[in-house]
Amino acid sequence: MTDPTVSEFERLFPDGDLRASQCADNLVATSELLLNNIASLLRPLDLTPASGLVLSILADSEDPLPPHEIAERLIVSRATVTGLVDSLESRGLAQRGPHPTDRRMLLVEITEKGRKAADEFRPIVHRHHRAWFEVLDDGEKAQLTRLLERVRDRLRSAGS
């Protein structure tokens, strides 16, 4: 199917905006490509992009973290974090422990094996980020970041 003209689009979708729809379509396609490329980099370490992000969060934290804080940083549900931590824990990359003052809460921390994995994959991923985005100059990267943050803020406030 060819792209409709603005007038055709407006006739078919009077409450829509062709350029906004093109932005959304391109953002989704780019996100999928980015995640697929990151997944291929992490596959040899038996990690997914999501589990790699959890390891990165834990590696950057000086202290163990409660699962809800990991969920907030990843913008996912606690149930999703529980599954990711279960997977990391079963492979010895992270461990749960009791909270020192709240018996109802557990804390998650990276293990030495997990730290080694993070130290191995993070430079590789960041090197690829650099290569993938070198088509943009620094100003364009900053602008893209600001624009995406604005869209993300709107999506959060919209709720759907």
Side-chain angles (χ1 to χ4, degrees), residues 67-72 76-85 96:
H68 75 271
E69 191 170 325
I70 297 169
E72 288 169 8
V76 297
S77 70
R78 287 184 190 185
T80 298
V81 168
T82 297
L84 292 168
V85 172
R96 291 179 176 96

Side-chain angles (χ1 to χ4, degrees), residues 109-133:
E109 66 182 323
I110 196 166
T111 63
E112 188 57 37
K113 182 179 177 183
R115 188 165 303 284
K116 286 179 184 175
D119 290 346
E120 183 178 343
F121 78 77
R122 288 170 25 140
I124 295 167
V125 171
H126 289 296
R127 184 172 54 248
H128 281 81
H129 286 170
R130 182 181 200 157
W132 297 331
F133 285 89

Side-chain angles (χ1 to χ4, degrees), residues 3-5 9-10 12-29:
D3 286 341
T5 65
F9 187 90
E10 288 172 349
L12 293 169
F13 308 103
D15 293 332
D17 177 330
L18 176 62
R19 300 295 176 242
S21 293
Q22 290 172 330
C23 285
D25 291 346
N26 277 287
L27 187 56
V28 168

Side-chain angles (χ1 to χ4, degrees), residues 20-154:
S21 293
Q22 290 172 330
C23 285
D25 291 346
N26 277 287
L27 187 56
V28 168
T30 302
S31 174
E32 287 177 1
L33 283 169
L34 188 60
L35 280 172
N36 287 339
N37 281 306
I38 291 170
S40 70
L41 295 173
L42 297 178
R43 198 169 293 117
L45 296 169
D46 196 27
L47 293 171
T48 64
S51 61
L53 281 173
V54 172
L55 272 184
S56 289
I57 288 169
L58 294 172
D60 289 340
S61 179
E62 293 182 22
D63 299 310
L65 298 172
H68 75 271
E69 191 170 325
I70 297 169
E72 288 169 8
R73 291 185 190 185
L74 288 178
I75 315 168
V76 297
S77 70
R78 287 184 190 185
T80 298
V81 168
T82 297
L84 292 168
V85 172
D86 285 347
S87 173
L88 293 171
E89 192 172 37
S90 71
R91 291 180 286 146
L93 301 172
Q95 62 188 18
R96 291 179 176 96
H99 190 282
T101 60
D102 186 344
R103 295 183 326 170
R104 298 167 297 163
M105 188 182 298
L106 291 174
L107 296 174
V108 182
E109 66 182 323
I110 196 166
T111 63
E112 188 57 37
K113 182 179 177 183
R115 188 165 303 284
K116 286 179 184 175
D119 290 346
E120 183 178 343
F121 78 77
R122 288 170 25 140
I124 295 167
V125 171
H126 289 296
R127 184 172 54 248
H128 281 81
H129 286 170
R130 182 181 200 157
W132 297 331
F133 285 89
E134 70 184 5
V135 297
L136 304 176
D137 64 35
D138 285 346
E140 290 170 324
K141 290 176 212 171
Q143 181 181 21
L144 178 60
T145 299
R146 286 190 305 273
L147 293 171
L148 292 172
E149 286 170 350
R150 285 173 48 196
V151 171
R152 205 169 41 247
D153 288 345
R154 173 55 63 99

